[in-house]
């Protein structure tokens, strides 16, 4: 356990100019006192770890010290070759660069681990786009990716409906979501980060001016928060639905899963359940009534139709009337007289 921690500490220091004891403690999930002991142990073992004293001090490696990749276990080596998404790298224009990097890593591995790329590729493959959807790479994606890598400001024209707006942007990061590329960026002088669909850029011109990245910006955390905000922002309408036991099980697969779980949990909470899987206030037929946020009545029609006879719309009246009319049409299509 300690040996693995010491290796991780060396790799952390190798990847950064300097790290404080608090930063190392957080990364290694130990106390600062343990970091001090580990640094001393590394120094005694011949690893040139140097401690800068003072309030702004920290630990660093001196003398250009580098460690080789001979300490990787097989599982670690195989996981390393799963870290890239081939299609995404190709779309960003980084396929050749990534291939060269994989060759260099392979050459540095022990001979017994050099089949790691093949064994990993035989077992796992990530296909990011959704089914039944062609997602051609945006023409300007390589230019955007280059600017992201180099921290270079860009002047971009962005299609917003029938109009185009021009913005100077600081491109912080790219996200591939269900086959669609998004750029997380901010306008210089403004603290708020915004999200842009890359396929809506009409022009991207990168200059020579670089920007200083906000060290506090965390791309995965930002995207998770923004995605949750977006999913909630489009749920502007509420419908009241009565669900059978089978309807309750199928609801998260038909509508927004977070909204479904919260609606079921609220109904179940009346009966003391906390996980949303309880029976809630069942009526005499074993059905439960929930209030469900949806994007619109039109979207709810498609979503709730998937539940068939396992759901009854109670409100709004217009949506219930629509389902009643569809039920009449279905009865006419599948009635006994049609079978004859």
């Amino acid at each position: 356990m300690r040996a693995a921690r010491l290796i991780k500490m060396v790799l952390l220091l190798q990847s950064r100019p300097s790290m404080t004891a608090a930063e190392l403690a957080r990364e290694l999930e130990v106390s600062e006192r343990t970091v001090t002991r580990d640094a001393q142990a590394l120094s005694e073992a011949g690893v040139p770890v140097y401690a800068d004293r003072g309030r702004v001090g920290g630990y660093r490696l001196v003398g250009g010290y580098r460690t080789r990749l001979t300490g990787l276990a097989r599982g670690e080596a195989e996981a390393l070759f799963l870290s890239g998404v081939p299609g995404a790298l190709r779309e960003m224009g980084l396929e050749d660069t990534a291939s060269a990097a994989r060759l260099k890593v392979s050459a540095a591995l022990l001979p017994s681990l050099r089949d790691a790329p093949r064994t990993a590729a035989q077992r796992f493959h990530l296909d990011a786009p959704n089914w039944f959807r062609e997602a051609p790479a945006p023409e300007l994606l390589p230019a955007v990716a280059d600017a992201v890598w180099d921290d270079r400001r860009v002047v971009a024209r962005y299609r917003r409906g029938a109009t185009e707006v021009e913005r100077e942007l600081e491109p912080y990061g790219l996200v591939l979501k269900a086959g669609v590329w998004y750029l997380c960026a901010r306008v210089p002088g403004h603290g708020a980060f915004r999200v842009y669909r890359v396929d809506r850029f009409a022009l991207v011109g990168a200059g020579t001016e670089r920007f200083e990245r906000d060290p506090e910006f965390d791309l995965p955390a930002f995207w998770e928060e923004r995605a949750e905000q977006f999913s909630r922002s489009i749920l502007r309408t509420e419908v009241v639905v009565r669900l059978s036991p089978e309807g309750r099980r199928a609801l998260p697969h038909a509508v927004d899963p977070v909204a479904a779980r919260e609606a079921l949990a609220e109904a179940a909470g009346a009966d003391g359940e906390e996980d949303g899987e309880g029976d809630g206030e069942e009526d005499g037929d074993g059905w439960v009534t929930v209030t469900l946020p949806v994007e619109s009545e039109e979207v709810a029609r498609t979503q709730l139709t998937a539940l068939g006879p396992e759901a009854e719309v109670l409100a709004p009246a217009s949506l219930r009337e629509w389902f009643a009319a569809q039920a009449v049409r279905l009865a006419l299509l599948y009635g006994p007289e049609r079978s004859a």
Side-chain angles (χ1 to χ4, degrees):
M1 183 73 174
R2 190 189 185 199
R5 190 175 71 242
L6 291 174
I7 292 173
K8 184 176 180 180
M9 184 174 179
V10 172
L11 293 174
L12 285 169
L13 293 174
Q14 185 174 297
S15 65
R16 308 179 193 181
S18 176
M19 293 185 71
T20 66
E23 290 172 336
L24 284 167
R26 186 165 55 252
E27 291 281 355
L28 299 172
E29 298 181 350
V30 295
S31 67
E32 293 186 31
R33 180 172 295 182
T34 299
V35 168
T36 301
R37 289 198 295 265
D38 286 352
Q40 183 176 354
L42 287 170
S43 181
E44 292 173 353
V47 178
V49 178
Y50 181 78
D52 290 314
R53 304 296 179 184
R55 190 173 57 182
V56 294
Y59 293 92
R60 60 187 175 89
L61 294 174
V62 297
Y65 180 84
R66 309 290 294 177
T67 183
R68 291 177 58 81
L69 296 177
T70 52
L72 286 177
R74 169 163 291 278
E76 294 169 332
E78 291 173 342
L80 182 64
F81 286 95
L82 291 175
S83 60
V85 184
L89 292 170
R90 182 172 56 252
E91 291 177 4
M92 288 190 291
L94 297 174
E95 185 176 25
D96 291 342
T97 303
S99 177
R102 285 192 292 269
L103 286 173
K104 290 178 181 179
V105 172
S106 297
L109 292 172
L110 290 171
S112 61
L113 299 179
R114 287 181 185 162
D115 64 340
R118 179 179 58 83
T119 58
Q122 287 174 341
R123 288 165 173 80
F124 300 98
H125 175 69
L126 177 59
D127 184 9
N130 283 334
W131 286 104
F132 314 119
R133 180 182 181 279
E134 290 190 12
E139 182 180 350
L140 296 173
L141 178 61
V144 175
D146 284 345
V148 169
W149 276 115
D150 292 342
D151 295 337
R152 278 183 290 122
R153 289 181 177 175
V154 299
V155 176
R157 286 211 305 265
Y158 189 74
R159 289 186 292 269
R160 183 173 293 169
T163 63
E164 290 185 2
V165 295
E166 186 171 300
R167 294 281 187 274
E168 184 180 19
L169 299 175
E170 296 176 346
Y172 266 69
L174 284 164
V175 175
L176 177 61
K177 170 68 173 179
V180 179
W181 285 96
Y182 296 89
L183 173 68
C184 302
R186 68 178 178 183
V187 177
H190 293 72
F193 288 89
R194 303 176 184 178
V195 177
Y196 302 86
R197 278 185 60 145
V198 177
D199 58 5
R200 292 181 183 168
F201 282 118
L203 176 69
V204 174
T208 58
E209 184 179 359
R210 285 182 165 80
F211 64 92
E212 185 175 347
R213 295 180 68 89
D214 181 351
E216 300 299 320
F217 180 74
D218 184 332
L219 180 59
F222 168 77
W223 180 259
E224 182 179 1
E225 180 183 358
R226 183 56 61 89
E228 183 178 350
Q229 290 175 355
F230 175 76
S231 65
R232 291 182 179 276
S233 69
I234 64 174
L235 303 179
R236 303 185 182 96
T237 303
E238 285 189 345
V239 299
V240 181
V241 186
R242 184 169 168 262
L243 299 166
S244 71
E246 178 59 32
R248 295 202 296 275
R249 285 189 288 271
L251 186 66
H253 303 288
V255 302
D256 179 82
V258 175
R261 286 194 295 269
E262 290 180 353
L264 291 169
E266 184 176 350
D271 204 34
E273 300 286 348
E274 296 182 353
D275 57 3
E277 300 294 332
D279 292 332
E281 295 184 342
E282 293 185 359
D283 58 24
D285 297 324
W287 290 46
V288 171
T289 299
V290 301
T291 299
L292 181 70
V294 295
E295 185 174 345
S296 65
E297 282 194 34
E298 290 74 18
V299 172
R301 291 175 183 178
T302 302
Q303 293 176 329
L304 297 178
T305 296
L307 299 178
E310 308 303 329
E312 177 190 4
V313 174
L314 302 180
S318 56
L319 185 60
R320 180 177 175 85
E321 290 169 3
W322 185 88
F323 272 96
Q326 303 312 303
V328 170
R329 293 181 61 190
L330 285 171
L332 291 173
L333 284 174
Y334 293 100
E337 62 279 4
R338 295 283 293 188
S339 300

